[in-house]
Amino acid sequence: MLSGLHIRQAKLVPRTIDGYKEFDKYLGEPSGVLIKKLYIKITVLKKLIHMGKLDQDLKLKALFRLLMLVHFHLADKPLPKPMPKAKN
């Protein structure tokens, strides 16, 4: 964004995250804030890796999920519906 790249500056709306309660905290946030949150998560992840303090699976999964949220938000599309959990 600082380099002049034009990014759609809409606010995150409920239809984008329908079915994903974990993203409710981001509702109403503009695109720029969501992207900054991604960069912050990446920076924290790098620091944790460098310090050797990291549960990589959970942190990487959370980063990926936020990345997908931002991707679908910028494309102005809803996230795919979550798969129902299998019952045993």
Side-chain angles (χ1 to χ4, degrees), residues 28-42:
E29 295 284 1
S31 302
V33 170
L34 295 173
I35 292 168
K36 286 178 187 175
K37 288 182 186 289
L38 271 176
Y39 276 98
I40 289 169
K41 283 192 177 284
I42 291 168

Side-chain angles (χ1 to χ4, degrees), residues 43-78:
T43 301
V44 169
L45 187 60
K46 287 167 115 178
K47 288 180 182 179
L48 289 172
I49 290 170
H50 182 70
M51 293 170 45
K53 298 179 180 179
L54 177 65
D55 179 358
Q56 288 183 353
D57 291 340
L58 293 177
K59 295 285 186 188
L60 289 173
K61 184 177 178 181
L63 176 63
F64 177 75
R65 291 175 69 83
L66 182 58
L67 182 61
M68 289 294 97
L69 168 66
V70 172
H71 167 74
F72 279 89
H73 165 68
L74 292 175
D76 197 24
K77 295 180 180 180

Side-chain angles (χ1 to χ4, degrees), residues 19-35:
Y20 293 90
K21 293 285 184 198
E22 70 192 87
F23 296 134
D24 283 352
K25 61 187 171 191
Y26 300 120
L27 279 173
E29 295 284 1
S31 302
V33 170
L34 295 173
I35 292 168

